Amino acid sequence: MHIPDSFMPLSQALIYWAIALPFIFMSFRWARKDMDDMKIPILAALSAGIFAIQALNIPIGMGTSGHMVGAALVAIIFGSPFAGVLVLTLVLLVQGIVFADGGITVMGANILNMGVISGFVGYYSFVALRSKNIDIKISAFFGAWLGLFISSIATAIEMSIAGTFPLVPGLVAMGTFHFVIGIIGEGLITAIAIAAIAKARPDLVDSKITEDSKEALL
Amino acid sequence: MKLLYAGLAIALLISVLAPYLASSDPDGLESAAESVIDEERFAELEEADPAIDSPMPDYSIEGKGKLGEIVAISAGTIGILVISFGLAKVLKSNRSN
């Protein structure tokens, strides 16, 4: 879903930067508050893992492929959507500058879509499902799937405002492809990872997360 | 720190396998672009240069094939690890000042 520079006029790209920057700033504030010597290596390992898995495009049929984004996974593990924003910001920065994956001018939009939207939608859907006592794997699967799907819809709308995609066909195409990518690439991998981590380190992902975020929401 | 090594090991394993396993089909956005934009305009957008030149475009090193891709992705993985570790350390240590 990485938007290249040519897909958006500079003036609009700057607007998305202006929207993304406060979230990036708040993700730094989250790290300042939440990071400790135990969590720093976990954050670093997760960031590295997210970068690597984003390089692994999975075929989804229709001549299309997709990869995991990972913001929801990170947010669920750390109990904050800002953790997802922080990791995706770093990953997108390196992808854009070093590997020409996603443009530099449009990086604000990419951070907004993949970090903020998929992270927030994914995380709060997970929390909502968990608060209804739905199984942690199913909650993680659905949250991550919805996060990816909604961020693809947002991207389609941005592409239409940019004049690059026509609105309705753009929504249909982006929605269709990411409906499937979200199931395989995002939902399944997130659910498997959360289940594995919950088993190995229940202190990292368990009811505590949902309790904390309920408090944060109140 | 055990988690760091385990995470890094998994990440590096994926980095080495990715060049062999990753699909070369276009991603969701590119496929959408192909199907909703007319051909001429699509070619124009695809050929446009990015705003800056990247040292390893498309996760590869020119002329080095699969090995170059493994090196590029592994370098990115380790780079991200170092950057996120360093940033988290810096942000955290600021708190105690």
Side-chain angles (χ1 to χ4, degrees), chain B residues 32-80:
Chain B
E34 241 175 294
S35 65
V36 300
I37 308 175
D38 70 77
E39 250 171 69
E40 209 172 299
R41 172 105 173 99
F42 178 71
E44 206 176 282
L45 289 174
E46 284 285 279
E47 277 157 29
D49 286 326
I52 61 156
D53 282 327
S54 297
M56 295 184 272
D58 301 320
Y59 305 91
S60 63
I61 299 170
E62 223 186 317
K64 293 274 185 282
K66 291 283 184 205
L67 184 68
E69 290 180 38
I70 292 174
V71 171
I73 298 171
S74 303
T77 299
I78 293 166
I80 290 279

Side-chain angles (χ1 to χ4, degrees), chain A residues 16-37:
Chain A
Y16 295 113
W17 261 118
I19 300 170
L21 276 175
F23 286 97
I24 299 169
F25 176 74
M26 283 185 278
S27 80
F28 282 20
R29 266 205 350 208
W30 165 82
R32 249 172 76 183
K33 220 175 100 236
D34 216 63
M35 279 297 111
D36 57 34
D37 286 329

Side-chain angles (χ1 to χ4, degrees), chain A residues 1 68-74 76 117-127 129 136-151 178-179 181-192 194:
Chain A
M1 213 188 301
M68 187 186 194
V69 167
L73 174 66
V74 178
I76 291 168
I117 296 177
S118 83
F120 272 76
V121 172
Y123 178 68
Y124 285 109
S125 312
F126 169 82
V127 169
L129 293 168
I136 190 166
K137 292 191 283 292
I138 295 169
S139 304
F141 173 85
F142 189 76
W145 173 81
L146 191 66
L148 186 94
F149 182 72
I150 298 295
S151 80
H178 291 89
F179 185 97
I181 295 168
I183 294 174
I184 304 166
E186 200 73 16
L188 275 179
I189 300 175
T190 304
I192 292 166
I194 290 293

Side-chain angles (χ1 to χ4, degrees), chain A residues 100-164:
Chain A
D101 191 12
I104 304 292
T105 60
V106 293
M107 197 179 288
N110 282 321
I111 292 171
L112 179 67
N113 298 334
M114 285 185 266
V116 178
I117 296 177
S118 83
F120 272 76
V121 172
Y123 178 68
Y124 285 109
S125 312
F126 169 82
V127 169
L129 293 168
R130 281 301 278 156
S131 70
K132 296 195 165 31
N133 279 323
I134 290 168
D135 180 79
I136 190 166
K137 292 191 283 292
I138 295 169
S139 304
F141 173 85
F142 189 76
W145 173 81
L146 191 66
L148 186 94
F149 182 72
I150 298 295
S151 80
S152 80
I153 297 299
T155 307
I157 293 169
E158 290 158 16
M159 288 292 92
S160 139
I161 297 170
T164 306

Side-chain angles (χ1 to χ4, degrees), chain A residues 6-64:
Chain A
S6 61
F7 278 36
M8 190 181 276
L10 183 62
S11 57
Q12 292 181 23
L14 292 178
I15 293 173
Y16 295 113
W17 261 118
I19 300 170
L21 276 175
F23 286 97
I24 299 169
F25 176 74
M26 283 185 278
S27 80
F28 282 20
R29 266 205 350 208
W30 165 82
R32 249 172 76 183
K33 220 175 100 236
D34 216 63
M35 279 297 111
D36 57 34
D37 286 329
M38 191 202 85
K39 287 178 183 167
I40 289 173
I42 299 170
L43 185 88
L46 263 175
S47 308
I50 297 293
F51 173 84
I53 208 157
Q54 286 204 1
L56 190 58
N57 276 45
I58 303 161
I60 60 150
M62 306 173 277
T64 303

